[in-house]
Amino acid sequence: MATSPCSSSGVSSSSSSGLGADAGLEIRTRSVEQTLVPLVSQITTLINHKDKPKRSDKTLQAIQRVGQAVNLAVGRFVTVGEAIANENHELKEEMSVACIEARRAGETIAQLTDVASLDHPESDSHITIFTDKTGVVKAARLLLSSVTKVLVLADRIVIKQIITSRNKVLATMEQLEKVSSFQEFVQIFSQFGNEMVEFAHLTGDRQNDLKDEKKKARMAASRAVLEKCTMMLLTASKTCLRHPDCESARINKDGVFHRMRLALEQVIEIVTDSRPNGENEMAPISIYSGIKEFKNKVEGLRENLYFLSKENLSTMLEVILEHTEDFTDSAYTSHEHREHILELSKQAKMELEQLVSVWMQAQNQKTKDLMEDLEVAILKMCQCMNELKREVHSAATSLAADLLKYHTDHTVLKALKITGVEGNLEAVAEYTCKLSEQKEQLVEMCRLLRHVSGTEPLEITCIHAEDTFQVTGPQIISAAETLALHPSSKIAKENLEVFCEAWESQLSDMSLLLREINDVFEGRRGEKRVYLSLPRPGEQAKIAKLGLELHLLTSDVDCETEKWEDQENEIVQHGQGMSSMAYSMYLFTRGEGLLKTTQDLFHQAEIFATEGTKLASALHALSDQVRDDDKPLLLLEAEKLISLCKQLQATAKASAQGKSATFTKVDACILKTRNVMTLLCQLLPLCCKLLRKNKAGNGCLKPAPPWKEDRIRTGTNARIPERRVETFGIKSLENHVTNMTFLESK
């Protein structure tokens, strides 16, 4: 299949910052995404400073420094982009246009932020960030869009390199298929080995860089096939060369080449995000994913009685119950498990009938009693589905454990090796039948495990395992037949050993996979990156409401801090820092901002609590300056703040296993952050009043709080994945952006 690297640029995406990158660009790799993080932060700082009513000299200098830093970094960035364009003529025109736009936008931002030397930056005589408020937004959008274009274009070069490497491997494979002498084969295979090493490095880096965990799992599966097939290709080809008239040897070799070509093709599909003949990728359907979606819909009725039809809900259950037939129809499912699954399926239909009945009544008359009946029906429906999920999990995992234990001694493989060397064709035929039976058992095991794997990456691993058993079984049989026909052939014996080792290796991998599936089911490990995709509409609404309250409180705190004459007062700085972090947490509830995962949120909550504790220390210091009759009130408020921050710190550090517990923790963290911000809204005017009363307006001057440094680390470099090799300028482009100096602001 001819594949263009240009297809990787994708269809649609927009920056989560709200500044709007080019709608035709989709960012699929972590390196490109993380390179944009510091730039977005700098731009956001400038955008939000344009509306600040109070502007000290220090603030104006900081704004100018940020503008200059952006312009200088963009200049260096563009220089690298232009060098890449000169080396890649097919992208030169697009890259040059994007570089020109980026340079122009950087220069515009530098001009608009040239305010530190002006006596009146608001004067119309000089156009600045304060007089031309839309200008900086336009420039920021252009800059973000053009930088994104440069990065995505540079990423196309990486994709092109992978495609070129694949084409070299395919061309050499064609030569290997046609060779007729050992000497020629050895020479070409040496070249093939080097090309496979290069391809493995390139695809390994790409796999680590992919954002989509599902694609990452598919890439890992394809690369595993290529790794194992490389040795198979060697021994199968040598066997065919030694026994050119042997039909089973030819079948064995052809099978290896075919499987390698399929794996190479899948790698290219993943990196270019394309399918042959424009096909859409069909996501594997599992009982787990079906039950999860069904429960989400059922629980959504608590918030909205009209968002789906009873027919849709009935169809969803029918699909789930059809999939349970994979268990009830399987010859390997125990009688006890089969009976329990059938019983629970029947119960699920009854529970749905009851739920629909109450649901329809509630639509017509939303009384308290009916809503209580609906809640009971929802709980019973979900409980039934949970029991069904538990039963199919038990059926699949118990079968897998029994089969893996039974086949751990590899009796059939040992027998095939012995009878093959003996040249006993009749015995080989007998044991190949037994291996075929074993293959069918293991394939069925993989199909059932896929239904209960719990995550998409594990589903893909089950599919890969099923495919491996399907393909390797017949290859072992053809290798054994070849050995039986040529019992004195050392290369035929070695070839059978290689295929048997692949089978044994896959069985070993299944034991690890079974352990992972059980860990997910028991909540001992969750998905690696849990985003704010709340499982129930009710939870979503609750989190959104808390987030909105947090947003309003940050506005109140900002208003209070702007009333202070001394903007460098320690209390003001801590208050502004806490407000900025609370605003980031609010953005998280909207699926925006730099906090991408729940772990980011929890870490931010810890830093927020630490900042609150430092504010409490500043309040204690202030209490030494105020009159005795004012001191008790201030100390009391400081102790309240310490208590609330300790509660938040404990919540943020507490472990949470599974999605439900994770989102409960999200809710608690935002709620406790809101409580701290509510107290902060009361503290700031109190402190301002006491300072004025005691004529201590200058307060305690200290350097900027260290949370800014923490945010720099957690917001950018800490999340940039390590790369093993330099990839066509992306790393150098990253460096010119991530080295920019930060000025964090909401």
Side-chain angles (χ1 to χ4, degrees), residues 19-23 25 36 39 43 74 77-78 81 94-106 109 138-154 733:
L19 294 172
D22 193 308
L25 299 173
L36 292 171
L39 181 60
I43 290 173
V74 169
F77 176 90
V78 165
E94 285 184 90
M95 183 74 88
S96 297
V97 170
C99 287
I100 290 169
E101 289 179 351
R103 194 186 295 277
R104 186 188 306 139
I109 286 173
K138 290 179 181 177
R141 283 177 175 159
L142 177 61
L143 178 59
L144 187 60
S145 175
S146 55
V147 167
T148 303
K149 283 180 185 175
V150 172
L151 289 168
V152 172
L153 287 169
L733 290 173

Side-chain angles (χ1 to χ4, degrees), residues 84 99 103 132 155 226 303 518 524 538 550 584 606 672:
I84 293 173
C99 287
R103 194 186 295 277
D132 185 8
D155 190 58
L226 292 170
E303 298 297 319
N518 281 324
R524 289 191 291 267
L550 202 56
S584 294
E606 285 187 55
K672 286 179 168 59

Side-chain angles (χ1 to χ4, degrees), residues 169-358:
V169 169
L170 279 176
T172 308
M173 281 176 62
E174 288 182 9
Q175 294 179 48
L176 285 172
E177 277 188 294
K178 297 173 182 176
V179 296
S180 55
S181 71
F182 271 104
Q183 184 178 2
E184 186 184 6
F185 174 80
V186 170
Q187 291 175 346
I188 298 174
F189 190 84
S190 176
Q191 175 188 339
F192 174 75
N194 292 332
E195 290 168 354
M196 283 299 296
V197 168
E198 178 193 16
F199 189 74
H201 280 304
L202 291 171
T203 53
D205 289 330
R206 191 66 178 183
Q207 177 184 319
N208 293 333
D209 201 20
L210 287 170
K211 290 167 58 182
D212 189 316
E213 293 295 329
K214 186 177 173 182
K215 288 180 180 176
K216 189 176 286 191
R218 289 179 61 216
M219 178 76 90
S222 298
R223 294 179 70 246
V225 169
L226 292 170
E227 181 183 349
K228 290 178 181 178
C229 281
T230 299
M231 180 54 70
M232 293 176 181
L233 185 143
L234 173 62
T235 57
S237 297
K238 286 166 64 178
T239 303
C240 222
L241 284 169
R242 180 60 55 88
H243 310 290
D245 299 326
C246 182
E247 180 67 10
S248 57
R250 185 192 61 76
I251 291 171
N252 184 259
K253 185 189 83 167
D254 289 348
V256 177
F257 276 90
H258 178 68
R259 195 171 185 214
M260 287 194 78
R261 285 193 174 96
L262 288 178
L264 288 165
E265 201 59 48
Q266 185 174 51
V267 168
I268 300 305
E269 288 173 16
I270 295 165
V271 298
T272 60
D273 203 39
S274 62
R275 303 284 294 174
N277 304 319
E279 299 171 11
N280 290 323
E281 181 187 353
M282 293 297 292
I285 301 171
S286 71
I287 292 175
Y288 261 30
S289 59
I291 289 177
K292 180 181 177 182
E293 185 181 359
F294 179 79
K295 284 175 59 184
N296 284 346
K297 298 293 186 185
V298 169
E299 292 175 326
L301 295 175
R302 292 186 175 108
E303 298 297 319
N304 187 341
L305 296 173
Y306 308 96
F307 80 105
L308 81 163
S309 67
K310 63 180 181 180
E311 290 78 16
N312 285 345
L313 210 53
S314 297
T315 301
M316 289 177 71
L317 182 61
E318 285 174 14
V319 171
I320 294 168
L321 298 184
E322 282 177 13
H323 288 312
T324 62
E325 293 174 5
D326 290 347
F327 286 81
T328 55
D329 293 348
S330 173
Y332 306 109
T333 301
S334 70
H335 176 72
E336 182 183 0
H337 281 306
R338 183 178 291 107
E339 289 300 310
H340 285 169
I341 292 169
L342 289 171
E343 183 181 330
L344 287 167
S345 298
K346 183 179 178 181
Q347 183 185 340
K349 292 177 183 177
M350 293 170 56
E351 297 293 358
L352 181 60
E353 286 180 10
Q354 178 62 23
L355 172 64
V356 169
S357 175
V358 179

Side-chain angles (χ1 to χ4, degrees), residues 326 330 332 439-449:
D326 290 347
S330 173
Y332 306 109
K439 181 202 75 173
E440 291 304 317
Q441 292 173 352
L442 295 171
V443 164
E444 185 77 356
M445 173 192 75
C446 293
R447 287 174 181 164
L448 299 184
L449 282 176

Side-chain angles (χ1 to χ4, degrees), residues 51-93:
D51 294 322
K52 293 281 185 179
K54 281 186 172 288
R55 306 180 186 108
S56 65
D57 289 342
K58 188 171 183 179
T59 300
L60 294 175
Q61 290 170 5
I63 290 173
Q64 181 162 322
R65 281 199 304 273
V66 172
Q68 291 172 344
V70 168
N71 188 32
L72 289 172
V74 169
R76 292 191 293 268
F77 176 90
V78 165
T79 300
V80 176
E82 289 170 341
I84 293 173
N86 290 331
E87 295 172 4
N88 297 271
H89 295 291
E90 71 278 13
L91 298 177
K92 187 170 183 178
E93 185 176 348

Side-chain angles (χ1 to χ4, degrees), residues 27-43:
I27 299 169
R28 294 195 173 95
T29 59
R30 298 190 193 283
S31 56
V32 171
E33 181 180 72
Q34 294 303 327
T35 300
L36 292 171
V37 168
L39 181 60
V40 171
S41 180
Q42 292 282 35
I43 290 173

Side-chain angles (χ1 to χ4, degrees), residues 420-492:
V421 170
E422 292 173 348
N424 189 338
L425 289 169
E426 186 177 340
V428 166
E430 178 186 344
Y431 284 111
T432 56
C433 287
K434 290 184 178 180
L435 183 66
S436 294
E437 291 174 9
Q438 183 177 328
K439 181 202 75 173
E440 291 304 317
Q441 292 173 352
L442 295 171
V443 164
E444 185 77 356
M445 173 192 75
C446 293
R447 287 174 181 164
L448 299 184
L449 282 176
R450 178 177 64 78
H451 276 303
V452 302
S453 54
T455 68
E456 280 192 330
L458 289 180
E459 275 188 44
I460 289 165
T461 305
C462 290
I463 293 169
H464 165 66
E466 178 187 338
D467 182 60
T468 298
F469 286 125
Q470 284 278 31
V471 173
T472 309
Q475 287 179 317
I476 291 174
I477 291 171
S478 59
E481 289 172 349
T482 302
L483 178 59
L485 290 169
H486 307 279
S488 61
S489 173
K490 291 182 180 180
I491 184 57

